[in-house]
Amino acid sequence: MNLNDLMVSENLFDPLYSSIALKGPIVRGIQDNLMKYKKNDLLEIADILEMEIPKSLNKTEICKRMIANYQDESMLASIYINFTDQELDLIELLIENDGAVVGNIIYSAAKFLLDIGFVQLYKIDDDYHFIMSDEMKEIFLSLDKEMLNDIRAAQQSVTDYTRAAMNLYGSIAYDRLKSFYMIHMEEVTQPLLDEEVLDVLFIGQFVKMHPYYFDGEYFYAQFYSEEDEEIGRQIADNGKPYYLPSYDVFIRYASTGYVEETYEYKAMEDFIRRHVTSDDIKVENFMISLGYICEYMGMNGAVEELEEMGYVFNSDQEFHRFAMLYQAFNNNTRMWSNHGYTPSELSGIRPKKVGRNEPCPCGSGKKFKKCCGSPLRSVK
């Protein structure tokens, strides 16, 4: 592993790193390193790793308890199987370089290791020093990595699968998610894991923070706050069938912001580029937000979004063109309320021209002429 692969030419994360860097001088022992943290910071690390440490203890005792936890094989294994390739690369670099690396390390490679106290960060003059204590190196080198790497691959598979399900469904009962996973593993001829092992992997992923969470029965996208869990459960159990494509298609949704670039998607994107903005980032952000707008805000929400971008329709004709594009986009957008199906797929009918007095296909319950087919002046 080359150090340059984990470096950035200039420190893009200086405000983040400088706020958490420890004060020198640099020390190499695990106890000495931990003692440089504030007591509350130590308790936060312990909380992330679910270490049972009383808050009433003094800092020295907290450090001793934490070191005992780090040396626990089962805890260390649960941490290891959640490491990303970048994080393992950084650990290997630290070990190869006698526990010290100086430079502007990519934040994604260092953040989790810093969060759990596995690695310490010092700022000396203008340089960042990443330190792995001598004891932590010994603990890491004692692990049976060959066995753990097989488990880590399974853990990553489960984590990617959960992320895909959250992006596609928004909320889902755990038993259903697990059954979908087993169906897909059979499809790709992967060895089926025992259900108890799957339980450990699905729950074990929460050693790390993810854009979703689990309440013991349902998984929820982070979009749902704890106050909204009831809504998430109602949507998960609304009786509609679940969209379950092939594994290759399903796992694409593990990528944040992934959408199917359908004909309707590209037609809307072309309209935005021609009439609203040619800025690639603004176009991309609008297209990402439009999926949420379709499900929760409707046509008026889309118009308000355009207004916030500084765009005003130049004519009724231009507005009607946008309205028809919005209708087509809406009908072919995968929605959480439809368990990943588009309105067109769920209805089993192809999109057709809608009469002015017919119900609006966006599902508002209004007539088309008073909803998505309304003239510009009505929206205003």
Side-chain angles (χ1 to χ4, degrees):
M1 179 67 197
N2 192 313
L3 176 59
N4 291 331
D5 294 335
L6 289 176
M7 299 278 281
V8 287
S9 56
E10 57 182 277
N11 197 357
L12 305 175
F13 311 107
D14 188 73
L16 295 169
Y17 278 152
S18 62
S19 66
I20 59 175
L22 301 175
K23 295 180 180 179
I26 294 173
V27 293
R28 302 303 294 267
I30 188 170
Q31 174 85 10
D32 293 334
N33 266 311
L34 292 177
M35 285 296 291
K36 284 185 172 283
Y37 290 90
K38 295 177 182 178
K39 178 178 176 179
N40 285 342
D41 293 336
L42 290 172
L43 290 172
E44 281 185 22
I45 293 172
D47 188 53
I48 290 172
L49 296 176
E50 297 184 352
M51 297 177 179
E52 295 182 2
I53 297 179
K55 295 180 180 179
S56 58
L57 295 179
N58 62 40
K59 198 161 78 166
T60 302
E61 287 301 316
I62 290 173
C63 289
K64 288 179 180 178
R65 296 279 188 100
M66 290 179 69
I67 292 169
N69 275 278
Y70 284 132
Q71 293 170 332
D72 180 82
E73 268 189 39
S74 61
M75 167 168 281
L76 200 56
S78 69
I79 296 172
Y80 182 94
I81 63 175
N82 281 281
F83 282 149
T84 64
D85 290 342
Q86 274 191 338
E87 289 159 354
L88 284 176
D89 287 342
L90 178 54
I91 291 172
E92 295 291 350
L93 276 172
L94 285 163
I95 291 173
E96 289 171 14
N97 290 275
D98 196 29
V101 170
V102 181
N104 302 325
I105 299 295
I106 297 170
Y107 192 63
S108 58
K111 182 182 183 302
F112 181 59
L113 298 175
L114 296 171
D115 285 347
I116 62 173
F118 213 81
V119 169
Q120 278 72 46
L121 174 67
Y122 290 84
K123 188 173 185 180
I124 309 297
D125 296 326
D126 292 327
D127 294 325
Y128 286 106
H129 296 249
F130 293 83
I131 303 297
M132 190 176 192
S133 68
D134 296 332
E135 297 94 332
M136 199 64 84
K137 282 191 298 179
E138 290 176 13
I139 291 169
F140 184 81
L141 290 171
S142 70
L143 292 172
D144 183 351
K145 296 182 191 61
E146 186 174 346
M147 178 195 72
L148 288 175
N149 279 333
D150 290 337
I151 302 174
R152 192 173 77 89
Q155 180 69 79
Q156 189 60 53
S157 170
V158 163
T159 300
D160 289 344
Y161 197 87
T162 308
R163 186 181 297 113
M166 292 297 93
N167 289 337
L168 194 53
Y169 306 136
S171 58
I172 187 171
Y174 173 47
D175 287 345
R176 178 173 278 121
L177 176 63
K178 186 166 60 174
S179 70
F180 286 175
Y181 181 78
M182 295 173 75
I183 289 169
H184 274 140
M185 289 304 98
E186 284 192 87
E187 176 191 321
V188 296
T189 64
Q190 289 292 321
L192 285 178
L193 298 172
D194 183 271
E195 280 204 48
E196 289 185 7
V197 175
L198 278 180
D199 289 338
V200 171
L201 294 177
F202 270 107
I203 309 307
Q205 63 186 300
F206 291 102
V207 167
K208 280 188 169 180
M209 292 293 291
H210 293 288
Y212 50 86
Y213 65 99
F214 181 54
D215 71 354
E217 190 175 0
Y218 290 81
F219 280 88
Y220 306 89
Q222 207 169 46
F223 174 85
Y224 293 108
S225 64
E226 290 186 10
E227 293 75 22
D228 297 329
E229 284 181 5
E230 182 59 33
I231 297 172
R233 287 194 293 272
Q234 288 174 1
I235 290 175
D237 298 331
N238 65 14
K240 295 179 182 178
Y242 275 80
Y243 170 67
L244 192 65
S246 67
Y247 177 78
D248 287 345
V249 173
F250 183 91
I251 207 64
R252 293 174 193 168
Y253 288 90
S255 299
T256 302
Y258 171 77
V259 291
E260 292 178 59
E261 294 192 5
T262 60
Y263 171 81
E264 294 78 12
Y265 179 99
K266 291 177 179 176
M268 175 62 82
E269 185 180 51
D270 182 66
F271 178 92
I272 300 302
R273 286 189 187 280
R274 287 173 180 270
H275 298 276
V276 183
T277 178
S278 59
D279 185 296
D280 289 340
I281 294 177
K282 290 181 179 179
V283 172
E284 182 181 359
N285 288 341
F286 176 81
M287 295 305 296
I288 291 172
S289 64
L290 190 57
Y292 292 97
I293 289 170
C294 285
E295 184 144 23
Y296 298 105
M297 299 171 67
M299 175 71 173
N300 285 355
V303 172
E304 288 173 7
E305 186 77 9
L306 292 178
E307 289 175 346
E308 287 183 11
M309 295 170 69
Y311 176 72
V312 177
F313 293 101
N314 294 317
S315 65
D316 283 1
Q317 183 179 8
E318 191 171 280
F319 171 78
H320 282 297
R321 170 65 178 155
F322 177 78
M324 296 309 293
L325 288 172
Y326 173 85
Q327 175 193 328
F329 181 92
N330 178 86
N331 288 348
N332 291 278
T333 294
R334 302 206 173 280
M335 297 184 177
W336 290 356
S337 57
N338 291 335
H339 295 164
Y341 276 109
T342 69
S344 292
E345 288 172 338
L346 204 58
S347 65
I349 59 172
R350 295 180 62 82
K352 62 178 182 178
K353 187 173 181 179
V354 182
R356 284 172 52 75
N357 290 310
E358 293 180 12
C360 187
C362 76
S364 67
K366 300 177 182 178
K367 290 184 178 181
F368 180 63
K369 67 181 181 182
K370 293 186 176 180
C371 191
C372 294
S374 62
L376 178 61
R377 59 182 175 275
S378 295
V379 175
K380 298 296 182 187

